Amino acid sequence: MTAVRAEPATTGAVAMQRPGLKVPIALGVFALLAVLLLALLAPAGTSTFSLSASGSGAVQLPQIPLHARTTGIVVSLLAVLMAIGSGLLVRAGRRVPLWYTVVFAVILVVGFLAWATAGHTLPVTGLLESALALSAPLIFGALGGVVSERVGVVNIAIEGQLLAGACVSAVVASITQNLVVGLIGALVAGVLVSFVLAAFSIKYVVNQVIVGVVLNVLVLGLTTFFYETVLVNASDTLNSPPRFANLPIPGLSLIPVVGPVLFDQSVITYLMYVAVVAVFVGLYRTRWGLRVRAVGEHPQAADTVGIDVGRTRFWNVALAGAIVGIGGAYFTLGSVGAFSQNMTSGAGYIALAAVIFGGWDPLRASLAGLLFGFASSLQNTLGILGSPVPSDVLLTLPYVVTIFAVAGLVGRVRGPAAAGRPYLKG
Amino acid sequence: MRLELHGITKRFGALTANDRIDLDLRPGEIHGLLGENGAGKSTLMNILYGLYQADEGRVLLDGEEQHFTGPGDAMRAGIGMVHQHFMLVPVFTVAENLMLGHEQARLGFLDLPAARARVREISARFGFDIDPDALVEDLPVGVQQRVEIIKALSRDAQVLVFDEPTAVLTPQETDELMAIMRQLKESGTAIVFITHKLREVREVADRITVIRLGKVVGEAEPTASNSELASLMVGRSVELTVDRTPSAGGDTGLVVEGLTVLDARGHTVVDDVGFSVRRGEILAIAGVQGNGQTELTEAILGLQEHVTGRIELDGRPLTGLPTRRVLHAGVGFVPEDRQEDALVAEFSIAENLMLDRSDGAPFVKGAGLQRRALATFASEKVREFDVRAQSIETAVGRLSGGNQQKVVLARELSRDLRLFVAAQPTRGLDVGSIEFVHERVVATRDAGVPVVVISTELDEVVALADRIAVMYRGRIVGIVPGDTSRDVLGLMMAGEVPEGTRMAA
Ligand SMILES: Nc1ncnc2c1ncn2[C@@H]1O[C@H](COP(=O)(O)OP(=O)(O)O)[C@@H](O)[C@H]1O
Ligand SMILES: [Mg+2]
């Protein structure tokens, strides 16, 4: 018996694949913008970055004054150097690593903040806290999206699941005055939406994208109708739920900046941390994850080893709904309390973008959720401080970031092979 | 374990794919199941494996009746299957594929080390050299098949079904597979070996059952002659060779030089390929599936994106031209996947016959279809190419594979051709249709057209070719005369050129 050759059969030698010029060009454009805007058009004045926590008790930190023009010059210089550096990397035939781009982005963001808040005090901790708050539902949504798509069902209905979770949790928690029951209500609501998605797309083989969109419209219509006819008139009894209080984790919550941002949060946020880790570890290290991925990649192969494809899909779509539903509760029980119509306002679609941007990986999808949350938070903060950027333009910021992220960095990633395709047995 | 199938019947709508089939299998026996494409072999085995439910009939293991509701049941009962289309998850490692469905876990976490050890242990038993952590999609098909075998054995299969296992293998790999089957047989495994290749089944099987159109038509001993088996399989005596005179050999028609094709991921799939084809000559491109043949034909037709090099037809360049212009230059093309790339299943025969001529006379005038002209043309072609269908309005998707291919040929050969490229022209066809297609290909050659036939079937290559180019990993290993021996061709398909091989280029 001859030794087996281990090279791919379909391909000859791997051609020296030249890393694209896309990244250096993008960095270059941003560096030029930085030079123009941050250095040449810098406003006079100084921006103060305040690092203390909003609440009292934590260690008080110094305020960092940043002179707008000086910061602008330093930042744009760094940006230009890094852009050139990336160009050199590519010329040497190497890829620009992800951390390089991230560092570049962070530097630019700092420069932009100093520019935009010249003459004001920028509450950095508050900015980050609100970033996490705004990303929480996105991260739950993205996790649900990852689970659902990994098992082979495209989940456009994240938006509907979030909205249903928000509405039901508010009402249930108001009636019972019990937060845990409210959370369970959100979970059940998400699962119910999932059941419809699963039944139509798995059993009746209706196009999954269409079912998802229809579900979103349906949930929006139902909750709006319910809100206007019932909740508005009975807001005391049906729409005034208690809210989750913050539970600072002893010790950890005292760390400067990081502590208040990450470890002085409500139970839902801690649940989110658990969910991210659980989905990540579960997907790659457990029997459940192996089967989920097999069914989403090659359902027929899963079938031939005795895995029930339909059932696996059905219950994991339900699980995805449960995760997203909890994210919905964050809108109400986790932040403002009362439900209002269309209060998710498209978060589900942003979560969907995070799924794709994160390459169907739970960890990276969560990071993408954080990025989008940060963009929203930035827009809020700048709006409040009264920055030189018109507020209408600011409002588009999260969506612009989403589009750039998805359009620019995707393409390389490959989704689950059988996502969106129904499995029909012979 | 003794396996008996009694009176298995399976219907798909009006079609009876299995008609009261009986089969029995003893431990330590290799049972050849021989039949043409579409005879119902896979259907029968899918019933045994629990993937399909039989309409009638019984499956007995050691005399006990079994009621499998799914492959899980069959596997538990000791039945394993190496599928015609591998059932491996491409993005999983070998070890992950092995454990899928019966995962060993510790505290809920996958026990990968155990799975790796199992891969190594079974590999060692058969002398395979397989890395348990290799991604399946990176492995050559021959190795993937071994992974399938390991997968089945890891479930302690007592009955092992090989469904057309040799279709994707080089002749040498086929020999190795047969050695593996014999080794399994020695250790007491009962084996069903499905094939439509006579030589293979005669070489390895202890008994042969022949199926035709869903029925068992006879049993044969491996000592039976090729022509006996062939006539049993086809139902009439068949000529195993194509009548053809040696090529007259005219001027050079097609010239390909330094052709390199990259796929979307930047891998080289066709690597510096060059050849020429004279008018009135058939150049066959042989090779195991997936060695760049598909991409080569697509590059000629203008269907590939990253192409460098030169393609010239009658002195005029084709490189970089859009497909429409390539067709207008007189290139006829039979793609390898006729259902996907050659036909629109829901369209009628007539509509499919004009698919590539929707931009002017004779079928289109202004923006309107010339229905009458089309009907006349279609009726004539249906007669000429012996397409068996109720009418020219029958949807092509409802025809058998052979008749579908005749529609494709009728369309492609009814233009004035300066080059004819046929990729896997007889894949999945019955013997009658194969003969017909071969005759047409030779007739096209005799009309003075340069012909390129791509085939993974050595029989077809040898039957048709005036010269043979063998491809391996995107390169042409060598171009040899049409009468080169199968042994030499087999070695070339694995990338080796034996010393003293005559070249013809
Ligand atoms: N799932 C199915 N639905 C309808 N027809 C089928 C199906 N599977 C197979 N057939 C038909 O049954 C016949 C036998 O097919 P198959 O068992 O695959 O043949 P073989 O394996 O001998 O080539 C063919 O005519 C095929 O078209
Ligand atoms: Mg078959």
Side-chain angles (χ1 to χ4, degrees):
Chain A
M1 193 135 313
T2 56
V4 168
R5 284 171 295 267
E7 300 102 314
T10 46
T11 55
V14 176
M16 263 304 285
Q17 198 181 355
R18 283 189 45 212
L21 281 171
K22 216 156 86 179
V23 179
I25 290 175
L27 298 196
V29 169
F30 277 107
L32 277 184
L33 281 176
V35 171
L36 257 179
L37 195 73
L38 305 185
L40 301 180
L41 292 177
T46 300
S47 155
T48 312
F49 280 28
S50 156
L51 297 183
S52 339
S54 43
S56 54
V59 188
Q60 284 305 308
L61 290 163
Q63 314 245 340
I64 303 174
L66 287 176
H67 184 255
R69 176 157 297 153
T70 322
T71 313
I73 291 172
V74 171
V75 163
S76 43
L77 215 70
L78 280 176
V80 170
L81 285 179
M82 284 191 79
I84 294 173
S86 71
L88 292 180
L89 272 180
V90 169
R91 258 191 52 184
R94 288 184 45 198
R95 238 170 229 301
V96 181
L98 185 65
W99 64 260
Y100 196 93
T101 318
V102 172
V103 169
F104 181 87
V106 169
I107 292 176
L108 273 198
V109 166
V110 170
F112 176 71
L113 284 175
W115 175 83
T117 63
H120 301 277
T121 300
L122 175 74
V124 174
T125 311
L127 178 74
L128 294 179
E129 271 181 81
S130 106
L132 187 70
L134 289 166
S135 10
L138 301 183
I139 291 177
F140 276 113
L143 287 177
V146 167
V147 170
S148 176
E149 302 219 352
R150 277 295 180 123
V151 83
V153 178
V154 171
N155 190 0
I156 302 283
I158 299 176
E159 174 77 1
Q161 290 163 339
L162 282 175
L163 198 57
C167 182
V168 171
S169 64
V171 175
V172 171
S174 302
I175 295 171
T176 60
Q177 287 298 311
N178 183 327
L179 284 164
V180 175
V181 178
L183 210 53
I184 293 173
L187 192 149
V188 170
V191 171
L192 287 179
V193 177
S194 268
F195 278 166
V196 182
L197 173 66
F200 277 96
S201 58
I202 299 167
K203 183 130 182 33
Y204 300 108
V205 207
V206 183
N207 182 303
Q208 297 170 7
V209 173
I210 293 176
V211 182
V213 171
V214 168
L215 272 174
N216 287 344
V217 175
L218 178 75
V219 173
L220 178 62
L222 283 179
T223 52
T224 304
F225 175 74
F226 182 64
Y227 176 76
E228 283 175 351
T229 53
V230 181
L231 292 188
V232 171
N233 304 320
S235 64
D236 296 345
T237 48
L238 291 180
N239 199 11
S240 47
R243 288 188 308 173
F244 278 105
N246 281 9
L247 279 178
I249 296 181
L252 288 179
S253 60
L254 295 179
I255 305 172
V257 187
V258 176
V261 172
L262 293 182
F263 302 113
D264 184 5
Q265 293 289 348
S266 72
V267 170
I268 302 193
T269 310
Y270 297 138
L271 265 181
M272 176 183 88
Y273 300 158
V274 174
V276 172
V277 174
V279 173
F280 180 74
V281 173
L283 209 48
Y284 296 117
R285 294 268 173 274
T286 68
R287 170 185 320 197
W288 165 75
L290 191 73
R291 292 187 172 192
V292 163
R293 288 185 290 138
V295 166
E297 283 289 342
H298 196 333
Q300 215 180 346
D303 192 4
T304 56
V305 293
I307 297 173
D308 187 332
V309 173
R311 203 195 328 210
T312 309
R313 286 192 166 172
F314 190 91
W315 288 112
N316 280 291
V317 171
L319 172 68
I323 299 174
V324 183
I326 295 178
Y330 192 90
F331 283 101
T332 49
L333 311 186
S335 51
V336 296
F339 177 78
S340 57
Q341 68 182 60
N342 192 20
M343 75 185 305
T344 52
S345 60
Y349 297 105
I350 305 261
L352 198 60
V355 173
I356 298 166
F357 182 37
W360 290 268
D361 173 81
L363 214 53
R364 284 191 289 155
S366 301
L367 290 176
L370 267 183
L371 173 70
F372 299 151
F374 180 74
S376 299
S377 160
L378 198 59
Q379 167 238 315
N380 290 344
T381 311
L382 294 184
I384 292 165
L385 290 180
S387 81
V389 185
S391 63
D392 287 337
V393 175
L394 271 184
L395 277 177
T396 64
L397 189 64
Y399 306 100
V400 171
V401 170
T402 309
I403 289 176
F404 273 102
V406 172
L409 288 153
V410 178
R412 296 200 277 278
V413 290
R414 183 165 54 154
R421 272 195 250 149
Y423 178 62
L424 298 171
K425 278 177 94 147
Chain B
M1 196 157 51
R2 189 186 170 90
L3 168 74
E4 289 160 276
L5 299 178
H6 281 308
I8 300 285
T9 298
K10 176 72 183 174
R11 299 184 197 89
F12 294 113
L15 178 94
T16 306
N18 287 164
D19 190 359
R20 280 165 288 153
I21 292 190
D22 294 325
L23 193 77
D24 76 311
L25 187 64
R26 288 179 288 257
E29 175 188 61
I30 300 180
H31 196 131
L33 198 54
L34 187 66
E36 281 209 81
N37 280 299
K41 307 178 298 284
S42 295
T43 303
L44 183 66
M45 289 304 125
N46 284 335
I47 288 169
L48 170 62
Y49 194 61
L51 276 169
Y52 293 164
Q53 309 301 321
D55 296 320
E56 287 160 33
R58 299 186 300 155
V59 177
L60 303 180
L61 282 177
D62 284 336
E64 247 177 80
E65 185 161 355
Q66 307 288 324
H67 299 278
F68 299 150
T69 55
D73 294 344
M75 278 183 306
R76 269 186 291 279
I79 295 170
M81 186 146 163
V82 174
H83 297 266
Q84 186 168 4
H85 307 283
F86 299 153
M87 291 299 161
L88 300 169
V89 182
V91 299
F92 281 10
T93 64
V94 173
E96 285 174 327
N97 267 294
L98 177 95
M99 73 198 309
L100 184 66
H102 66 145
E103 304 84 353
Q104 278 178 296
R106 258 192 265 144
L107 300 171
F109 291 95
L110 293 175
D111 191 357
L112 271 172
R116 287 193 195 102
R118 195 100 175 97
V119 173
R120 292 214 184 83
E121 176 205 325
I122 301 173
S123 299
R125 208 187 313 158
F126 292 92
F128 300 165
D129 174 19
I130 292 178
D131 173 10
D133 292 315
L135 280 186
V136 163
E137 64 183 350
D138 293 339
L139 298 173
V141 272
V143 180
Q144 291 190 10
Q145 183 172 66
R146 290 171 181 195
V147 176
E148 277 271 70
I149 296 174
I150 291 180
K151 205 172 100 179
L153 293 179
S154 79
R155 304 287 185 92
D156 299 318
Q158 316 266 299
V159 175
L160 201 50
V161 179
F162 287 85
D163 193 355
E164 308 241 4
T166 58
V168 294
L169 302 182
T170 64
Q172 275 73 23
E173 284 175 318
T174 301
D175 290 343
E176 288 171 13
L177 176 70
M178 291 188 180
I180 294 168
M181 285 200 269
R182 289 198 192 97
Q183 197 181 341
L184 284 166
K185 166 181 142 176
E186 297 300 314
S187 64
T189 312
I191 293 178
V192 181
F193 174 38
I194 300 181
T195 185
H196 62 264
K197 295 183 189 170
L198 307 173
R199 197 182 354 224
E200 292 170 358
V201 78
R202 284 179 47 212
E203 195 177 322
V204 76
D206 300 312
R207 277 192 299 157
I208 301 171
T209 297
V210 186
I211 298 188
R212 185 170 71 234
L213 297 175
K215 288 199 183 79
V216 172
V217 289
E219 290 224 357
E221 295 298 317
T223 47
S225 73
N226 264 354
S227 55
E228 277 174 69
L229 286 176
S231 57
L232 207 52
M233 183 164 101
V234 181
R236 61 187 171 84
S237 65
V238 280
E239 262 184 88
L240 290 164
T241 50
V242 186
D243 266 338
R244 68 191 174 95
T245 50
S247 156
D251 311 336
T252 301
L254 175 75
V255 178
V256 173
E257 249 182 36
L259 189 75
T260 296
V261 181
L262 302 186
D263 70 5
R265 290 192 290 165
H267 294 296
T268 308
V269 283
V270 175
D271 192 0
D272 192 19
V273 159
F275 58 86
S276 62
V277 192
R278 288 192 297 276
R279 293 182 201 203
E281 180 194 44
I282 297 177
L283 175 76
I285 298 187
V288 181
Q289 199 177 325
N291 275 289
Q293 303 97 314
T294 311
E295 290 81 1
L296 172 62
T297 49
E298 289 181 351
I300 295 175
L301 265 288
L303 292 164
Q304 282 280 337
E305 274 196 42
H306 310 284
V307 180
T308 51
R310 198 164 62 91
I311 305 168
E312 248 175 39
L313 182 58
D314 297 335
R316 278 176 305 158
L318 289 186
T319 334
L321 291 188
T323 305
R324 170 162 298 281
R325 304 255 313 267
V326 174
L327 294 177
H328 276 239
V331 180
F333 180 45
V334 177
E336 63 177 47
D337 187 342
R338 65 182 154 267
Q339 271 143 15
E340 195 66 33
D341 299 326
L343 298 166
V344 181
E346 293 77 21
F347 279 18
S348 69
I349 294 175
E351 285 165 333
N352 271 291
L353 282 172
M354 63 158 288
L355 269 189
D356 58 349
R357 276 191 264 181
S358 58
D359 56 351
F363 305 130
V364 178
K365 199 160 142 197
L369 284 185
Q370 301 296 101
R371 286 259 164 213
R372 182 113 25 100
L374 179 58
T376 320
F377 174 79
S379 312
E380 191 185 308
K381 288 299 162 189
V382 162
R383 210 171 321 115
E384 185 186 339
F385 282 82
D386 190 27
V387 181
R388 311 269 169 88
Q390 278 169 331
S391 83
I392 57 165
E393 294 306 323
T394 308
V396 154
R398 300 188 37 193
L399 302 181
S400 72
N403 284 308
Q404 289 182 346
Q405 193 70 321
K406 288 176 186 172
V407 173
V408 178
L409 281 178
R411 180 180 70 214
E412 298 302 319
L413 294 180
S414 58
R415 288 183 289 138
D416 280 335
L417 291 188
R418 307 186 73 92
L419 171 67
F420 183 51
V421 180
Q424 307 291 2
T426 61
R427 177 179 282 176
L429 302 193
D430 56 282
V431 170
S433 304
I434 293 177
E435 286 176 334
F436 182 89
V437 172
H438 283 176
E439 277 165 22
R440 280 289 161 171
V441 170
V442 172
T444 307
R445 176 199 79 161
D446 291 343
V449 176
V451 177
V452 179
V453 174
I454 288 84
S455 180
T456 53
E457 300 273 339
L458 221 40
D459 291 330
E460 178 161 83
V461 168
V462 171
L464 290 178
D466 296 310
R467 284 187 303 142
I468 303 169
V470 184
M471 276 189 91
Y472 176 70
R473 298 192 175 202
R475 287 177 162 276
I476 287 190
V477 181
I479 301 180
V480 293
D483 57 4
T484 305
S485 78
R486 285 163 183 277
D487 295 338
V488 171
L489 290 173
L491 283 172
M492 291 176 72
M493 285 163 77
E496 282 172 51
V497 184
E499 216 148 301
T501 305
R502 263 185 318 136
M503 290 293 164

